[in-house]
Amino acid sequence: MAKSALLLILALLPCAALAQRAKADMTCTHTGTDFVYDCTFQITRNAKPLPDLTVIVGADMPAMPMAHNVKPVKARPGKTAGEYLARLDLEMPGEWAVKLRLSGPVRDVLVLHYTFKQ
Ligand SMILES: [Cu+2]
């Protein structure tokens, strides 16, 4: 009885490691054109960079539901592993929820809250 319980725990351990969520850090700079921003994303899991992902970037304003309709864009790979770049054409500055849809080696959806300054 105890032996089979132990085997079950050992079988589940690798799944716990795989269940670690991907994480993203984001910085954006205003391009000088209203309200266009160049954003850099660092995507990691277990503190290791995640290269070779397809990253689709969408944006919404939590405070203004249904008010905006920003077309999602595909990010391009940056200079280093796990870095992705996207240009976001937002309709106004303020607090946005930026949604990253990851596919490829890792599938996940990450929502980042970010205040865009003019
Ligand atoms: Cu708005």
Side-chain angles (χ1 to χ4, degrees):
M1 212 41 169
K3 201 178 208 174
S4 62
L6 181 64
L7 283 175
L8 181 65
I9 290 167
L10 288 175
L12 289 173
L13 277 176
C15 298
L18 284 175
Q20 278 274 1
R21 295 284 315 269
K23 190 176 160 296
D25 284 322
M26 166 182 180
T27 45
C28 297
T29 54
H30 191 231
T31 58
T33 302
D34 278 357
F35 302 99
V36 182
Y37 298 84
D38 278 325
C39 297
T40 303
F41 303 93
Q42 295 290 343
I43 305 180
T44 56
R45 192 173 62 182
N46 301 331
K48 291 196 192 86
L50 282 175
D52 307 319
L53 298 176
T54 299
V55 181
I56 304 295
V57 186
D60 250 310
M61 278 196 123
M64 302 171 77
M66 318 292 282
H68 296 288
N69 189 19
V70 173
K71 198 169 172 270
V73 294
K74 190 179 166 187
R76 59 191 192 282
K79 285 192 210 93
T80 57
E83 183 181 272
Y84 299 87
L85 310 171
R87 177 163 284 188
L88 299 184
D89 190 350
L90 305 177
E91 289 150 350
M92 57 185 283
E95 199 201 328
W96 287 77
V98 174
K99 188 191 267 189
L100 304 184
R101 211 169 269 283
L102 314 183
S103 58
V106 171
R107 297 187 74 85
D108 211 336
V109 175
L110 307 176
V111 177
L112 310 170
H113 288 263
Y114 195 89
T115 302
F116 290 86
K117 299 194 172 78
Q118 206 171 344

